[in-house]
Amino acid sequence: ASLQATFYGHTYENPFMNASGVHCMDTAELDGLATSAAGSFVTKSATAEGRDGNPEPRYVNLELGSINSMGLPNLGLAYYLKDAIQRQTAHPDKPFFLSVASYKGFDEYVANMKAIQDSAYTGLVELNLSCPNVPGKPQMAYDFEDTEKLLTEIFSFYTKPFGVKLPPYFDFMHFDKIAAVLNQFDLKFVNCINSVGNGLYIDDETDTVVIKPKGGFGGIGGEYVKPTALANVRALRQRLNPTIDIIGTGGILTGRDAYEHLLCGASMLQVGTQLYKEGLGVFDRLNSELLDILVAKGYNTIAEFKGKLATLD
Ligand SMILES: O=C(O)c1[nH]c(=O)[nH]c(=O)c1I
């Protein structure tokens, strides 16, 4: 059996990647991912200028997951573009993803994509429309009109392959609306989901919140979010053009979680909280556990069961 994953014309050894934000802040961390058992990797979401991000504590591991309000700390788009161009030249056989966001909103998204269009980087971009932790800034992908406007503007000049990182949606009307917007464009993928925004965790000894920014409100990841992540992967797969691939993110701790994301239609799989907790060895374990599941079920490839979730009709 093989865990090979085909995605936008490339065959990866396996579908596993980091989730943007974890173990991907600088060249050293990215080198760690590139030499790990991960099939691919993605950079920390970049803004036009480097940012310190929110005051600490801003990330806390919890028994059932994590809470974070990092506030988009990053080394700035120029840094990641330089690294990406060096990397694509040195290892043209190992494509990866460049994540880009915006601190200031619509115009910065456009400017950042223009900078990538004008650069020598030719690989995949993950356009992050779902950062929940910029005080005072609504998530772009919760505004369907603005998202459509932004994608229309970007596609008027951008000719390189890219996809979008989406927040979780919780209503069939919203699944329908975001899919109707995205199906208008030649997107290569969508990544479902980003953290579940603005959760609140209270320390049971101090009766206090555990992160400093935003009065303790932060994005939730880990076991807490798997049912929501699976639902978003499944709902978007059922609604999006087949030309748009899906990256499944959220609640992947074991090979079984990975298998369930694939059943819902994911092609690549991103690991955030569990990578933070376990380190790069998580990819060796997940590959081994997922392979055991294929063997136990008599599958030779992921294609044999990808998207084949059964319902009770
Ligand atoms: O606070 C962050 O930096 C952050 N945190 C998240 O949970 N998702 C995101 O997309 C981002 I850009």
Side-chain angles (χ1 to χ4, degrees):
S2 156
L3 295 183
Q4 278 190 341
T6 52
F7 189 91
Y8 187 59
H10 182 79
T11 299
Y12 298 86
E13 282 172 38
N14 66 72
F16 293 106
M17 307 171 53
N18 66 302
S20 178
V22 182
H23 208 289
C24 56
M25 185 62 77
D26 59 22
T27 296
E29 289 196 327
L30 293 168
D31 288 346
L33 284 167
T35 54
S36 78
S40 188
F41 59 90
V42 58
T43 62
K44 168 65 187 174
S45 294
T47 48
E49 306 303 323
R51 289 177 44 79
D52 292 336
N54 290 337
E56 296 178 333
R58 59 193 190 183
Y59 177 101
V60 173
N61 282 320
L62 309 170
E63 191 189 339
L64 297 178
S66 64
I67 186 168
N68 92 83
S69 185
M70 306 299 285
L72 255 170
N74 74 98
L75 297 172
L77 181 56
Y79 176 94
Y80 297 102
L81 268 179
K82 184 167 184 283
D83 174 279
I85 291 159
Q86 285 171 342
R87 215 172 278 282
Q88 77 178 11
T89 309
H91 309 284
D93 58 320
K94 282 210 71 165
F96 56 91
F97 297 67
L98 177 70
S99 177
V100 63
S102 162
Y103 174 65
K104 296 192 185 98
F106 189 100
D107 292 346
E108 184 185 335
Y109 272 119
V110 175
N112 290 347
M113 291 298 269
K114 277 205 168 104
I116 300 170
Q117 175 66 23
D118 296 343
S119 79
Y121 179 64
T122 56
L124 282 156
V125 163
E126 183 174 279
L127 181 63
N128 185 353
L129 302 179
S130 45
C131 179
N133 300 322
V134 180
K137 307 274 181 186
Q139 295 190 51
M140 171 61 76
Y142 280 157
D143 183 322
F144 300 108
E145 289 71 29
D146 262 3
T147 298
E148 184 172 355
K149 245 179 72 185
L150 177 62
L151 291 175
T152 301
E153 173 64 26
I154 291 172
F155 275 99
S156 73
F157 63 85
Y158 200 83
T159 61
K160 299 174 178 177
F162 79 98
V164 293
K165 177 80 172 277
L166 298 175
Y169 299 97
F170 301 91
D171 184 288
F172 270 46
M173 158 79 81
H174 295 158
F175 293 145
D176 294 342
K177 289 186 91 167
I178 190 62
V181 168
L182 299 177
N183 276 331
Q184 298 171 53
F185 302 99
D186 181 24
L187 289 163
K188 301 309 173 196
F189 68 92
V190 303
N191 182 344
C192 297
I193 61 174
N194 207 315
S195 55
V196 173
N198 295 301
L200 191 62
Y201 186 88
I202 300 171
D203 183 289
D204 60 5
E205 284 169 12
T206 63
D207 294 350
T208 310
V209 303
V210 294
I211 55 173
K212 185 164 188 176
K214 292 175 62 174
F217 284 69
I220 302 296
E223 287 179 66
Y224 289 118
V225 310
K226 189 175 79 169
T228 297
L230 293 176
N232 276 262
V233 169
R234 173 74 163 172
L236 272 287
R237 183 64 288 159
Q238 290 174 318
R239 290 166 174 76
L240 289 176
N241 296 337
T243 55
I244 304 178
D245 275 334
I246 298 192
I247 297 178
T249 306
I252 298 179
L253 286 71
T254 68
R256 173 71 200 180
D257 301 323
Y259 177 74
E260 291 175 5
H261 268 270
L262 296 168
L263 269 186
C264 289
S267 295
M268 299 295 282
L269 303 167
Q270 292 187 352
V271 183
T273 301
Q274 195 56 29
L275 168 59
Y276 194 108
K277 290 182 174 181
E278 194 170 330
L280 292 172
V282 72
F283 293 117
D284 301 274
R285 179 175 61 79
L286 288 172
N287 273 300
S288 164
E289 290 177 2
L290 181 57
L291 200 55
D292 286 350
I293 292 171
L294 267 73
V295 170
K297 292 174 180 290
Y299 293 130
N300 284 314
T301 65
I302 288 172
E304 292 165 38
F305 62 90
K306 183 167 89 171
K308 298 210 164 75
L309 173 65
T311 52
L312 295 172
D313 349 77

